[in-house]
Amino acid sequence: MVILENSQGSEEVDATKIWHKTACVLCSANCGLEVRLNSRDITRVRGNKAHVASAGYTCEKGLRINHYQNNTSRLTSPLKRIDDGSYLEVDWDTAIAEISTSLKQINEKYGAGKIFYYGGGGQGNHLGGAHSTATRQAYGITRKSNALAQEKTGEAWVEGQMFGTHTHGGFHDAEVAIFLGKNPWHSHGFDQARRVLKEIANDDQRSLIVIDPRRTETADLADYWLQVKPGTDAFLLAALAAVLIVENLLDKGWLDSNATGVQETKDALRNVPIEEYAERSGVSLDQLYEVARRIGRAKSVSTYEDLGIEMGPHSTLISYLHRVVSILTGNYGKPGALGPHTSVAPLFNYSAAGREPTDPVTGGKVISGLVPCNEIADGFLSNHPERSRAMIIESGNPVHSLAESDKFRAAMRAAELTVVIDVVHTETTEQADWILPASSQYEKAEATFFGANFPANTFHLRQAILEPLEGTLTEPEIHSRLVQASGVLDEVDFEPLRKAAEQGLDTFAEAFMAAAMENPAISAYGAVVLYETLGKSLPPGKEGAAVLWFSCQMAAQKYPDQIRAAGHEGDGPKLGNALFQAIIDSDDGVIFTKHQYEDAFDFLTTPDQKVNLLIPEMHEQLNLLSAAPVKYTSEEYPFVLSAGERRGFSANTIVRDPSWRKKDKEGALRIHPNDASDLGIVDGGRVRITTEGGEAVAVAEVNDSVQLGYVSLPNGYGLSYSPAGGNSEVVGVAPNELTSTHWRDAIAGTPWHKHVPARLEAVAI
């Protein structure tokens, strides 16, 4: 029982009946939730109807978050690998001191810049990544990457040159919604996805277009399902754009006022052999023209690309072509079309797009500062004198999630120091020299920077609903200790800033800015300084949110009118303080900016502040498409394997306990009935999958939702898990035991997880 205070006095309440507000962490939507607790168990879950973005919406994944929070793989003490390969528990002070010394020694031995940082936040925890900036600064870490570099860097490279900012579709209002290689029924990607899909499907005035080789749940709802052959999306989109030109379906007046490079792009597309490319893609010419006409006559069109094309052939070209379709038809900066958005903290730097440096060891484009994931292992295993020598991995499991798992294991073994910060034991921690146990996402205040709504954008800081598990530390605390151990803050006195914070945000803002002017270390290591000062004045459990204060100040400088329009009052630092206070106080999230649609053009940072269609490398890739292969399979590997399909009970790898799945418990390989019959594979039987990267045995699901010659495995399976008191077990196939690092996009280096040549054979049981 607990005592609750209210206006009528106090009352005794059963603690297990209290609803605590939080959010889901199993996809980028991060829907608001309410949960009940019994001690440390999450016993009930429901959608939070008051949540600023999700408004009570959730799916089956969010309802099962207790399987993430409470599992038997939790780490509760720093672990150091000793000579025999086993781990020794050590105290935190020893771990921080020894790791700090080793990092300094790496720099002294090889020069700065040889330490690699991977991670910095998963689907629901970005605050730790914000604090990692201070650690990287303290130890001279310039090489970095994360999961975005195997998904979104090609898209970011295109958007940086086309818009100078990120764009997102307005699907709630779109007359036509197009999904490329995406099944939002399971992967979401925008607020209340299933509600929106049903609304579009049930409205005769709106249309849903799905481009996907598999008949997904979203394709089942679609008005137009373009069942493209695997890996041929670029041919389809090039033909689609060319039809728009042939049929004169362009918004000429809009283009004249708002776009550059239009004529050059039209000239390039006129060379596209429409009929030939339609045949290559497997989509009929009649359907192609019908879809082009539907797009051309629509008042608004929104598109969404996702991993199905971002992890396959021509991915960067596809990112360009579908945006060309949108812009040629005038679909930017209006309701239901592509639009920009404000960010509390942007995930990419779009300003350098097209002028990226290359990695000194591997030669790949370092887009927005991120080394291509398929090149990380090579950066350690190379004999190049500039190769990486040490690695810090935070909130990520690259051994499992990046291509060619064995190669990444080898890279970790080749490194002279590997430090992994994580909540649980993973395939990656098994290779580490040091393991630092972090508190879970429900044991600290956390947030994400995925918000991409326009014209009103939202942000949700969720509270800690549990005390940190004994022996663990939050990532902000871990980074604070690492930074202070480096010695870079020895000349900074936290106490005056702590006292200023106790007097209120206005006093703190004045004191912090004055101190930063006097001592450059305060701004250089700002995340840690804020955590150690302002953080100590915040409500218990929200200390790590202090880093958001600086983001709010930056937003207030950039979008003052729009922040005031969202209901936050003040000018200058006071406006930033008001926004920060609103974020700290609300457990339902806040609207932090409200724009007008015409503001969309203010976000363009291209030279003429217009949408730029002329990207020479993309025009070159378009010209080369005619000579590109239609398929990458062979007699030895005749099937295309999509490794990592999103399904109802697949999620990111932070949910390791396989018992969370009500369906598809082993992660079946989906195969067309005719292919199964030809190979003697039966539903529920076993099938051996062999690729260049390796082999695995999966359970078969004979399913006509996939094409002939095309098979798929779900993401999030093949994790090592130890039930309480039991031996470790692995359920399902780890997809990246089958992938290869050399299968990657020519521009961005993103992997071909969704297009792996494979051989199949039935396995006798």
Side-chain angles (χ1 to χ4, degrees), residues 391-411:
M391 186 183 307
I392 299 176
I393 299 170
E394 178 185 0
S395 299
N397 185 7
V399 166
H400 189 277
S401 61
L402 302 191
E404 205 166 338
S405 295
D406 273 345
K407 192 172 185 179
F408 203 91
R409 290 187 186 99

Side-chain angles (χ1 to χ4, degrees), residues 14-319:
D14 183 349
T16 65
K17 303 299 183 184
I18 297 173
W19 289 99
H20 305 266
K21 293 186 176 183
T22 184
C24 180
V25 297
L26 300 185
C27 91
S28 62
N30 302 118
C31 298
L33 302 175
E34 293 182 313
V35 303
R36 282 180 172 175
L37 302 171
N38 186 355
S39 185
R40 297 188 66 84
D41 284 331
I42 298 172
T43 57
R44 293 277 305 279
V45 182
R46 68 186 184 191
N48 175 11
K49 293 181 179 179
H51 190 266
V52 67
S54 57
Y57 175 91
T58 189
C59 73
E60 62 272 16
K61 299 178 187 181
L63 300 178
R64 302 178 71 76
I65 57 171
N66 190 55
H67 289 270
Y68 157 72
Q69 172 57 37
N70 292 296
N71 66 80
T72 59
S73 296
R74 285 296 298 271
L75 298 160
T76 56
S77 173
L79 299 175
K80 177 183 180 180
R81 187 185 294 277
I82 56 179
D83 290 343
D84 66 1
S86 63
Y87 284 103
L88 176 70
E89 289 190 1
V90 299
D91 62 89
W92 274 102
D93 288 345
T94 299
I96 295 295
E98 291 196 20
I99 290 169
S100 179
T101 298
S102 295
L103 291 171
K104 293 175 186 177
Q105 289 173 344
I106 295 288
N107 282 333
E108 291 168 3
K109 186 175 180 181
Y110 299 108
K114 306 303 187 301
I115 303 170
F116 198 100
Y117 175 84
Y118 182 88
Q123 295 284 33
N125 61 313
H126 288 172
L127 296 186
H131 288 81
S132 76
T133 58
T135 298
R136 287 185 273 127
Q137 177 78 7
Y139 294 97
I141 302 171
T142 56
R143 295 177 182 175
K144 63 176 181 174
S145 195
N146 57 42
L148 291 173
Q150 66 168 352
E151 302 168 359
K152 304 295 182 182
T153 42
E155 177 185 49
W157 184 83
V158 166
E159 289 198 299
Q161 295 180 76
M162 286 187 79
F163 309 104
T165 189
H166 182 238
T167 61
H168 196 274
F171 299 100
H172 292 71
D173 302 310
E175 181 181 327
V176 173
I178 305 174
F179 298 105
L180 304 96
K182 181 171 182 63
N183 179 16
W185 189 265
H186 285 317
S187 63
H188 306 285
F190 52 94
D191 296 329
Q192 306 173 46
R194 292 181 183 178
R195 289 179 186 171
V196 173
L197 292 174
K198 289 178 181 178
E199 287 172 3
I200 298 173
N202 293 329
D203 188 337
D204 292 340
Q205 303 304 309
R206 304 173 73 185
S207 295
L208 182 60
I209 299 171
V210 172
I211 301 173
D212 204 303
R214 193 177 82 78
R215 193 184 71 245
T216 64
E217 291 80 359
T218 306
D220 276 337
L221 294 172
D223 300 278
Y224 304 93
W225 172 37
L226 281 63
Q227 191 182 21
V228 65
K229 292 178 182 178
T232 64
D233 304 75
F235 296 104
L236 174 64
L237 288 167
L240 181 62
V243 171
L244 293 174
I245 294 170
V246 169
E247 293 276 293
N248 196 26
L249 295 170
L250 312 188
D251 191 334
K252 185 177 183 304
W254 188 93
L255 289 168
D256 289 344
S257 299
N258 298 300
T260 61
V262 176
Q263 189 59 51
E264 296 91 336
T265 303
K266 289 166 62 177
D267 291 344
L269 289 168
R270 284 194 179 97
N271 294 324
V272 169
I274 295 172
E275 185 172 355
E276 178 189 338
Y277 279 18
E279 184 178 355
R280 288 191 186 194
S281 72
V283 174
S284 73
L285 202 60
D286 287 344
Q287 188 180 37
L288 178 69
Y289 272 84
E290 185 178 359
V291 167
R293 290 164 184 159
R294 180 67 184 99
I295 292 170
R297 72 170 184 265
K299 292 180 179 178
S300 61
V301 178
S302 282
T303 59
Y304 200 134
E305 66 172 77
D306 213 348
L307 308 190
I309 59 98
E310 290 170 345
M311 292 183 168
H314 310 295
S315 59
T316 302
L317 178 60
I318 295 166
S319 294

Side-chain angles (χ1 to χ4, degrees), residues 312-600:
H314 310 295
S315 59
T316 302
L317 178 60
I318 295 166
S319 294
Y320 171 71
L321 287 172
H322 80 79
R323 287 175 174 83
V324 168
V325 168
S326 291
I327 299 308
L328 289 177
T329 52
N331 281 289
Y332 173 83
K334 63 182 182 181
L338 291 179
H341 59 88
T342 48
S343 297
V344 171
L347 296 176
F348 285 106
N349 173 11
Y350 295 91
S351 62
R355 302 184 303 278
E356 293 82 9
T358 56
D359 184 272
V361 179
T362 61
K365 286 182 188 293
V366 181
I367 298 173
S368 196
L370 301 177
V371 174
C373 290
N374 274 30
E375 297 180 10
I376 297 172
D378 290 328
F380 281 86
L381 298 172
S382 165
N383 289 322
H384 195 287
E386 294 297 307
R387 65 186 180 274
S388 297
R389 305 287 184 159
M391 186 183 307
I392 299 176
I393 299 170
E394 178 185 0
S395 299
N397 185 7
V399 166
H400 189 277
S401 61
L402 302 191
E404 205 166 338
S405 295
D406 273 345
K407 192 172 185 179
F408 203 91
R409 290 187 186 99
M412 290 188 71
R413 290 193 294 270
E416 296 185 24
L417 174 70
T418 54
V419 180
V420 177
I421 303 169
D422 212 324
V423 176
V424 295
H425 265 305
T426 69
E427 291 68 26
T428 300
T429 63
E430 290 173 358
Q431 307 299 317
D433 298 316
W434 284 94
I435 307 171
L436 301 181
S439 307
S440 83
Q441 293 196 38
Y442 295 111
E443 297 165 2
K444 61 195 175 224
E446 259 299 353
T448 76
F449 303 137
F450 287 137
N453 297 317
F454 190 82
N457 209 352
T458 62
F459 184 82
H460 180 208
L461 174 73
R462 62 184 189 274
Q463 62 180 313
I465 59 174
L466 294 164
E467 291 291 326
L469 192 65
E470 186 176 356
T472 70
L473 295 177
T474 67
E475 290 95 339
E477 177 67 24
I478 294 170
H479 285 295
S480 179
R481 295 189 185 195
L482 285 170
V483 170
Q484 292 186 71
S486 75
V488 295
L489 292 177
D490 287 351
E491 303 303 316
V492 175
D493 184 1
F494 294 141
E495 200 55 36
L497 289 175
R498 286 174 180 157
K499 289 180 179 178
E502 292 171 0
Q503 297 175 48
L505 289 175
D506 290 343
T507 302
F508 176 79
E510 186 176 343
F512 183 89
M513 292 174 186
M517 291 288 290
E518 189 174 308
N519 188 342
I522 288 177
S523 54
Y525 307 100
V528 165
V529 174
L530 287 169
Y531 171 74
E532 290 291 345
T533 57
L534 178 59
K536 304 307 180 184
S537 70
L538 297 180
K542 291 190 175 181
E543 296 89 346
V547 70
L548 296 173
W549 176 82
F550 184 76
S551 297
C552 290
Q553 294 296 334
M554 294 298 98
Q557 289 183 26
K558 196 170 185 180
Y559 309 111
D561 294 338
Q562 291 76 20
I563 292 175
R564 283 190 287 267
H568 312 289
E569 298 180 353
D571 292 294
K574 289 183 181 293
L575 180 60
N577 290 340
L579 175 58
F580 176 72
Q581 192 65 59
I583 287 172
I584 292 294
D585 289 343
S586 176
D587 290 329
D588 300 313
V590 301
I591 296 174
F592 71 93
T593 52
K594 276 189 177 179
H595 286 259
Q596 301 298 317
Y597 276 100
E598 53 265 30
D599 295 345

